[in-house]
Amino acid sequence: MTTTHMKAIVQTDPQDRRSLELREVEVPKLRSGEVLVKVQAAGVNRGDILQTMGAYPPPPGASEILGLEAAGTIADAGDTNWEVGTKVGCLLAGGGYAEYVAVPQGQLLPVPEGFSVEETAAVVEVACTVWSNLGIEAGLHEGQRVLIHGGGGGVGTFAIQVAKALGAEVAVTAGSQEKLDRCRELGADILINYKEHDFVEELKGSCDVILDIIGAKYLEKNMKCLAKDGKLIIIGMQGGTKAEINLGAMLPKRLTIQGTTVRARDLEDKARIVAGTVENVWPMLEDGRVKHALHATYPLADAAQAHTALDSGEVTGTCRLSQRGYDADEMLDVVIGIEGAKRNRHGTTDFFHTHLRKQRGLRGKRGNKAVIKEALINRLGRNTLYCEGEARQAIIGCACG
């Protein structure tokens, strides 16, 4: 491959986590055992947001560019036996928010049967995270009860389905009825709104496994929920990093508390996780037992908007970045989704009403999303691609006639 430079998202101000701009950088140089992948799409993860805050730096030697997962085609096979042109998913320590990324060959995954390359891009990290924790570390099996915190998020929605496929009973916590309804649709058995109810009252002493994204804030409560020989696996620190452990409560019940992350593992360990994920989770995706819950797709240039959406708490499932822009069929959902505003009684945001209903005097059925989306498609065509700012202007223009 002769290309020496590429476009990538760069954080231009370390003090501003939204200063994510598309800049020209050098194409990564391959090391032994790596391939160069031309990225078609990349997943957006909370770890990316933490990195922009300085709280989750890449491991030594890894790319400083954001992006823990991607998918595309092999552009340079290096000294490996992979073939140029092969479509692959990629588990990364960094580098996904770019046109090209260097990937250790042990961290390449085939595109699941029936999935597109873009769909694969937002599945890799969550699948490897869920399987490494529920499948490998916890050994979750039929007849056990698992509590999944953040059931409406990307990890949560995926973990619910994997746990059900393994035959477990699933309890979840989430912060809205909408998210709990989604968890129910995915198979969750016990639904708890943590803003309204104390999950300890419902689950005390009954959970064999807990998958926790909160950390310190939930440590004491999680320990109370665990059954004898229960396992608490902490994969996030949204609720803080420091807490006290009551060994008097831990020892008699023979509890295990484990913290894990995929990113910091060595190459051999990651390759083991990837192989286990392909063997155990890919069949679940291919036969429909596990469905990917995608919230929204954003152009690569709109990475900051994707982060804003993920930060809003309104996202159910995962987000991804695409090397292409929005088409007319996607614009309305994207622009409404990035606002992160509280929905009004119509289920839409103030942006919708300001720029669509009021400017054209739309009333009743003509003000709903489906009608406006069809108007966009009729006006612009399905193949027109826009970045986020252009999408806004196109919608406003359509509403104004």
Side-chain angles (χ1 to χ4, degrees), residues 80-258:
T80 74
N81 293 323
W82 286 82
E83 293 186 6
V84 172
T86 303
K87 297 177 180 180
V88 292
C90 315
L91 179 67
L92 307 170
Y97 290 18
E99 288 184 291
Y100 294 93
V101 63
V103 189
Q105 61 178 332
Q107 291 165 224
L108 297 171
L109 304 88
V111 174
E113 184 178 344
F115 275 62
S116 68
V117 173
E118 283 205 354
E119 287 173 321
T120 305
V123 169
V124 174
E125 170 73 13
V126 68
C128 289
T129 296
V130 169
W131 182 252
S132 65
N133 288 291
L134 292 187
I136 297 175
E137 304 297 348
L140 185 68
H141 57 79
E142 186 175 0
Q144 290 189 313
R145 173 181 284 182
V146 58
L147 167 60
I148 299 168
H149 290 300
V155 170
T157 54
F158 204 91
I160 290 168
Q161 298 175 85
V162 170
K164 293 302 293 183
L166 293 173
E169 181 185 37
V170 177
V172 298
T173 62
S176 71
Q177 189 58 50
E178 180 183 1
K179 288 188 175 183
L180 289 176
D181 289 343
R182 179 58 177 151
C183 291
R184 180 188 291 109
E185 292 173 2
L186 295 173
D189 303 290
I190 302 171
L191 310 165
I192 302 170
N193 186 328
Y194 66 82
K195 295 180 180 179
E196 300 175 357
H197 302 285
D198 183 355
F199 61 86
V200 177
E201 294 181 4
E202 178 101 17
L203 301 171
K204 186 174 182 179
S206 69
C207 298
D208 300 290
V209 177
I210 298 177
L211 187 64
D212 177 42
I213 62 171
I214 302 300
K217 182 179 178 180
Y218 276 7
L219 180 60
E220 183 179 357
K221 289 185 174 184
N222 282 334
M223 290 177 64
K224 290 179 180 179
C225 289
L226 286 173
K228 291 181 179 180
D229 298 307
K231 297 179 180 179
L232 167 60
I233 300 182
I234 303 171
I235 63 171
M237 301 172 291
Q238 295 181 32
T241 59
K242 296 182 179 181
E244 290 187 357
I245 294 179
N246 183 351
L247 297 177
M250 181 178 178
L251 272 60
K253 293 170 68 175
R254 303 179 298 278
L255 305 182
T256 299
I257 299 176
Q258 182 174 358

